[in-house]
Amino acid sequence: MKYRTFYFIGPFGYGFWKNFKKLDRVSTFLNQRDECEVNIWDVRKNKYKIAAFDEIDNAVIYGRDLATQLNVKFKERK
């Protein structure tokens, strides 16, 4: 259970891997661009954006599967 923060400066990029702390939930969220984001939240209320979908149903299916695999709760928000 690791994630990588990746930064871009023009055509160049760099990043490093970090361990997740204890995870709390997976959620979906409809942003201002009408994209449905799938986010993972840890117990310290840090949010990690995992994916973005044009269709809400696809994001919900992906989020539920991810929550099942990680053994955490799933929360759907619109």
Side-chain angles (χ1 to χ4, degrees), residues 25-28 59-64 67 72-76:
R25 68 182 180 272
V26 175
S27 68
T28 58
V60 170
I61 291 168
Y62 181 81
R64 282 191 182 141
V72 294
K73 321 180 253 196
F74 175 71
K75 189 174 247 185
E76 181 180 352

Side-chain angles (χ1 to χ4, degrees), residues 45-64:
K45 305 297 184 219
N46 295 321
K47 178 178 78 168
Y48 305 97
K49 180 179 172 185
I50 300 301
F53 293 87
D54 291 330
E55 299 292 326
I56 295 172
D57 295 335
N58 294 338
V60 170
I61 291 168
Y62 181 81
R64 282 191 182 141

Side-chain angles (χ1 to χ4, degrees), residues 6-17:
F6 202 79
Y7 301 98
F8 287 101
I9 302 172
F12 304 104
Y14 69 96
F16 49 92
W17 290 95

Side-chain angles (χ1 to χ4, degrees), residues 30-36 53-56:
L30 190 61
N31 65 19
Q32 293 176 355
R33 295 178 300 218
D34 290 330
E35 295 173 337
C36 193
F53 293 87
D54 291 330
E55 299 292 326
I56 295 172

Side-chain angles (χ1 to χ4, degrees), residues 31-45:
N31 65 19
Q32 293 176 355
R33 295 178 300 218
D34 290 330
E35 295 173 337
C36 193
E37 296 179 1
V38 178
N39 301 314
I40 295 178
W41 295 78
D42 66 9
V43 293
R44 293 185 178 172
K45 305 297 184 219

